[in-house]
Amino acid sequence: MTSQEKSPGTAHRGPALRGGFLLAQVGAYASMRFAERLEGLGLTPSDVGLLRMIAVNPGQSQQTLAQALRVVPSRVVSLIDDLQAKGLVTRERSSSDRRTYELRLSPVGVEAMEKMREIGSAHENDMMMGLSTEERTTLTALLAKLAASHALAPDVHPGYGSRS
Amino acid sequence: MTSQEKSPGTAHRGPALRGGFLLAQVGAYASMRFAERLEGLGLTPSDVGLLRMIAVNPGQSQQTLAQALRVVPSRVVSLIDDLQAKGLVTRERSSSDRRTYELRLSPVGVEAMEKMREIGSAHENDMMMGLSTEERTTLTALLAKLAASHALAPDVHPGYGSRS
DNA sequence: TATTGTTATACTCTATAACTATA
DNA sequence: TATAGTTATAGAGTATAACAATA
């Protein structure tokens, strides 16, 4: 009903091809919108992921983090540098192995996590706006199933680097 | 059933928060896998999107393309430079306005489109592997609904640049 | 004077490799 | 000798701004 000129481009390609593209398209859009919301907080999506990893597993070393995120250790350095400069994360030399740091959220970091949760909630509502409650549940379940079938780690966004 | 140590991180956060993250996570994964498949063809996901826009609307100018992709014109220059260097796209001065080029696929470009279609199809199957036929249909429909509700252009992946 | 395409430039992100301190 | 973290450097990707040709 919308094709006025000769332009195809709207309704070509069968369902066999659309799913992968839609996944990438909607996913990139979701990331973009989330990043926009975070700007107000002075954080990037990477920061958020990192903070969550630290919150979930306090005392972790940078190496451990690098492996979990599938990122090069030097990348973690600058990421944590930022977070520390913002006062969200503390680095403390481990007493058992003084080569490593123990990473923890500062009180400010804990507050930031709370704000992030609110932002995440608003983002979720905004993203899902067009779907009914039941549809949201279905979509989330299907996405979770897909994530599981590809062995995607529950909390790791594969967008920290290009390292496989 | 998988939480062995004290580590949470698997089952926290209610359904109210997971959808947006899953969208971004699975979407980024889909993009990554698609990019990997394209490497064999010597193309990037951007190239593919561009080729498709040109295939759908032959004779377009670079400006038109830049607007459709929401990218700065200079970006289109280097993107098309690449495609032309690979022999996939032709630039021809428009006879009505000699400032502009008319962009078209070369015969090689048309062949490449065919290979891309195969790659896309294989990618789709791989991505959806974990879902039944019915589930795939449901997921695709829900994603399409989401895309429509956010007014995402049917064929434009929002990943060409940072320009809103 | 306005528009299309181009070039030159700079900035951001990320990886690689060499280095220091500790084990 | 091996490992954690760091620094320096380089490459890719992308935007901005100045510019030439055409309108």
Side-chain angles (χ1 to χ4, degrees):
Chain A
M1 39 177 75
T2 39
S3 55
Q4 303 145 331
E5 299 186 30
K6 64 171 180 181
S7 143
T10 305
H12 50 185
R13 267 190 313 292
L17 272 172
R18 278 186 322 206
F21 180 77
L22 279 167
L23 233 28
Q25 184 191 34
V26 178
Y29 178 75
S31 297
M32 210 179 65
R33 294 290 294 267
F34 186 56
E36 284 170 9
R37 282 179 185 276
L38 285 174
E39 270 174 26
L41 216 59
L43 293 175
T44 67
S46 292
D47 290 336
V48 172
L50 219 43
L51 285 174
R52 240 183 10 206
M53 302 282 300
I54 296 172
V56 162
N57 235 306
Q60 257 178 131
S61 73
Q62 296 184 186
Q63 285 287 339
T64 311
L65 221 43
Q67 285 165 7
L69 297 173
R70 296 167 163 265
V71 164
V72 119
S74 65
R75 176 116 179 68
V76 177
V77 173
S78 63
L79 247 18
I80 299 288
D81 277 353
D82 279 2
L83 258 22
Q84 192 180 28
K86 286 173 190 154
L88 303 175
V89 162
T90 63
R91 269 177 170 126
E92 198 183 348
R93 284 287 177 198
S94 162
S95 48
S96 56
D97 181 345
R98 294 218 312 270
R99 291 172 304 179
T100 73
Y101 285 121
E102 297 176 357
L103 302 172
R104 291 197 179 75
L105 294 191
S106 73
V108 181
V110 174
E111 280 176 40
M113 287 284 295
E114 188 50 48
K115 285 182 207 138
M116 279 161 39
R117 225 166 272 126
E118 287 164 25
I119 286 180
S121 182
H123 171 62
E124 178 87 16
N125 282 331
D126 175 30
M127 278 304 298
M128 298 295 182
M129 192 74 75
L131 302 185
S132 72
T133 304
E134 196 187 344
E135 285 172 330
R136 295 179 192 198
T137 306
T138 305
L139 176 61
T140 303
L142 289 174
L143 289 172
K145 198 165 176 180
L146 229 42
S149 81
H150 290 283
L152 300 185
D155 267 323
V156 182
H157 189 292
Y160 284 85
S162 63
R163 204 172 88 178
S164 162
Chain B
M1 39 178 73
T2 39
S3 56
Q4 301 144 335
E5 296 186 34
K6 61 169 181 183
S7 144
T10 304
H12 51 185
R13 268 192 311 293
L17 272 173
R18 278 185 322 208
F21 179 79
L22 279 168
L23 234 27
Q25 184 192 34
V26 177
Y29 178 76
S31 296
M32 210 180 66
R33 294 291 295 266
F34 186 56
E36 285 171 10
R37 283 178 185 276
L38 286 174
E39 270 174 25
L41 215 58
L43 292 176
T44 67
S46 293
D47 290 337
V48 172
L50 218 43
L51 285 173
R52 242 186 4 209
M53 302 281 300
I54 296 172
V56 163
N57 234 307
Q60 256 176 134
S61 73
Q62 296 184 187
Q63 284 287 339
T64 311
L65 221 43
Q67 285 165 7
L69 297 174
R70 296 167 163 264
V71 163
V72 119
S74 65
R75 177 114 178 70
V76 177
V77 173
S78 64
L79 246 20
I80 299 288
D81 277 353
D82 279 2
L83 257 24
Q84 193 181 28
K86 286 171 190 155
L88 304 174
V89 162
T90 62
R91 268 177 171 126
E92 198 184 349
R93 284 287 178 196
S94 162
S95 48
S96 56
D97 181 346
R98 294 219 311 269
R99 290 172 306 181
T100 74
Y101 285 120
E102 296 177 356
L103 303 172
R104 291 195 178 73
L105 295 190
S106 73
V108 181
V110 173
E111 280 176 40
M113 286 286 295
E114 188 50 48
K115 285 182 206 137
M116 279 162 39
R117 224 165 273 126
E118 287 165 25
I119 286 181
S121 182
H123 171 62
E124 177 86 15
N125 282 331
D126 174 31
M127 279 304 299
M128 298 295 180
M129 192 73 77
L131 302 185
S132 71
T133 304
E134 196 188 344
E135 285 172 329
R136 295 179 191 199
T137 306
T138 305
L139 177 61
T140 303
L142 288 174
L143 288 172
K145 199 165 175 180
L146 228 43
S149 81
H150 290 283
L152 300 185
D155 266 324
V156 182
H157 190 291
Y160 284 86
S162 63
R163 204 172 89 177
S164 162

